[in-house]
Amino acid sequence: MVVSREVFGKTESGEEVIKYTIKNSNGLELDVISFGATLVSLKCPDSYDLLLFLLVDYLSNPPYFGSTIGRVANRIANGKFSLDGKEYSLAINAPPNSHHGGPVGFHKHNWKGVIKDHRKVEFTYISPDNDENYPGELTACISFTLTDNNEVELYYEATTKAQTIVNLTSHGFFNLAGQVDRDVLDHIAQIKAPTYLPTNDVQIPTGEKCSVSSPNSAFDFTTPKPIGQDIDKVPGGYDHTYCLPQSKEFCAEVYHPPSGRVVKMFTDQPGMHFYSSNYLDGSPGKGGVCYPKHGAFCLEAQNFPDAINQPDFPSPILHPGETYKQKTIYKFEVK
């Protein structure tokens, strides 16, 4: 196991962006950069790279390729929420809602990286009070660990100086076929969730939990099936949160039959947002490969979207003296 660092580039203000590379004894190699605490690549021993990324446009990164998302992942209805009777208004960057922490969320900041040991890198960002109009100074940390069991472990912690809301996630875009200009509709997915969150026409949860088998079985992945099998029954494609059972067993698995590659996901979060990359538009990524619509899948561990405005959802509120914690694991295998 070894961790190395090198200068990857510079921010618009001239600050160095550092790339950290972790290699395990099996030949798996993980690259993470300090800007946005972003996953850049995951290279298999056969050199296939399973993560999408925009090398040329990484400071802008409109699809959020590999980014750490905060202060609050996913959508907040109308960009508004209340704490202790005070209403807060956020930037509207996915009209009419606020999305993924706002236009200058955690993905647009250069985190401070530290090599913790021979297999782990930790990033820290101190989000000031009123950052993107969120209250309270928040200190967020995320570590990336690559094990010899071919597991990428993500561990998050956050503390605040004033009451605030927090919901962090990592937005890795996976294609188990590697850097190809093909979609992932042939990938076989299984999601161990009996219910999901239906949404309204602007992608805000209605507040209900709906069985995956009713009224639209297109959402049922309890038995493995191709991502593309029922995707035409879901307007736009999958962009929905699944409600996970509170267990440490795996919550999702995606398998690519031609290569035999598998990724399994484990998390302690109440939800997993399953996204079929509905807004990719053929823009070029690594090696000039064009990333088409549905050219990747995302398994985003997180709290439920708009939880601050939904009284029956798990609370995203963090108080001074408390610590937000999350652990998520992506395990890679070959069948």
Side-chain angles (χ1 to χ4, degrees):
M1 300 286 290
V2 62
V3 182
S4 61
R5 70 188 298 277
E6 63 179 284
V7 176
F8 183 79
K10 291 187 177 182
T11 66
E12 292 179 351
S13 65
E15 187 178 1
E16 287 185 341
V17 175
I18 305 298
K19 182 180 78 172
Y20 297 85
T21 300
I22 313 173
K23 300 179 182 179
N24 73 4
S25 60
N26 303 316
L28 199 64
E29 183 176 312
L30 178 71
D31 286 343
V32 189
I33 60 171
S34 57
F35 190 80
T38 297
L39 294 163
V40 170
S41 68
L42 182 68
K43 296 176 184 174
C44 301
D46 55 12
S47 298
Y48 281 87
D49 186 350
L50 309 185
L51 283 167
L52 275 58
F53 189 70
L54 297 177
L55 288 169
V56 174
D57 198 22
Y58 74 93
L59 293 177
S60 176
N61 192 6
Y64 304 92
F65 284 136
S67 297
T68 295
I69 304 298
R71 187 174 299 196
V72 174
N74 222 301
R75 293 169 176 82
I76 295 179
N78 302 308
K80 295 185 183 298
F81 67 94
S82 295
L83 280 178
D84 283 341
K86 180 178 179 181
E87 185 173 275
Y88 294 87
S89 296
L90 308 173
I92 304 301
N93 59 330
N97 307 311
S98 182
H99 188 228
H100 283 344
V104 192
F106 285 9
H107 62 293
K108 287 292 186 73
H109 292 276
N110 200 27
W111 296 50
K112 181 181 179 181
V114 176
I115 297 173
K116 300 299 288 186
D117 58 35
H118 63 285
R119 61 179 195 156
K120 180 190 294 186
V121 177
E122 182 179 272
F123 295 93
T124 302
Y125 170 60
I126 299 176
S127 173
D129 181 33
N130 206 40
D131 188 9
E132 285 293 288
N133 290 337
Y134 287 97
E137 180 183 296
L138 185 87
T139 299
C141 296
I142 178 172
S143 65
F144 297 87
T145 303
L146 178 61
T147 75
D148 279 330
N149 291 323
N150 295 335
E151 296 170 331
V152 178
E153 297 181 353
L154 281 61
Y155 182 72
Y156 309 71
E157 284 194 354
T159 57
T160 184
K161 291 187 176 181
Q163 185 174 233
T164 191
I165 58 175
V166 182
N167 182 23
L168 305 179
T169 196
S170 179
H171 212 309
F173 283 68
F174 295 99
N175 187 323
L176 300 182
Q179 300 300 303
V180 294
D181 59 356
R182 297 193 302 273
D183 61 44
V184 295
L185 300 184
D186 64 338
H187 287 46
I188 309 298
Q190 182 179 22
I191 302 174
K192 301 285 281 188
T195 57
Y196 77 101
L197 301 178
T199 58
N200 62 20
D201 57 359
V202 291
Q203 295 180 276
I204 295 296
T206 62
E208 307 168 88
K209 291 182 181 179
C210 187
S211 170
V212 295
S213 60
S214 175
N216 185 350
S217 62
F219 293 98
D220 191 351
F221 285 92
T222 52
T223 300
K225 69 179 182 182
I227 292 173
Q229 178 172 307
D230 297 315
I231 199 169
D232 289 342
K233 300 177 184 177
V234 183
Y238 296 104
D239 194 359
H240 296 80
T241 298
Y242 283 77
C243 309
L244 301 177
Q246 294 301 300
S247 71
K248 300 302 179 183
E249 297 181 2
F250 87 93
C251 61
E253 173 180 315
V254 181
Y255 166 53
H256 180 237
S259 68
R261 298 188 191 97
V262 178
V263 58
K264 294 181 178 180
M265 179 183 172
F266 307 75
T267 188
D268 55 14
Q269 293 299 283
M272 185 204 72
H273 197 79
F274 179 52
Y275 176 53
S276 55
S277 300
N278 310 321
Y279 298 109
L280 295 186
D281 60 3
S283 297
K286 297 175 189 173
V289 173
C290 295
Y291 296 149
K293 182 177 182 178
H294 307 317
F297 62 89
C298 302
L299 308 174
E300 306 165 50
Q302 57 187 262
N303 195 358
F304 297 167
D306 196 37
I308 187 60
N309 295 315
Q310 306 268 2
D312 293 331
F313 287 179
S315 175
I317 298 174
L318 184 68
H319 299 91
E322 299 176 342
T323 301
Y324 167 95
K325 295 181 179 180
Q326 181 198 143
K327 185 175 183 179
T328 296
I329 297 173
Y330 299 95
K331 181 176 175 60
F332 296 86
E333 301 175 348
V334 178
K335 288 188 178 181

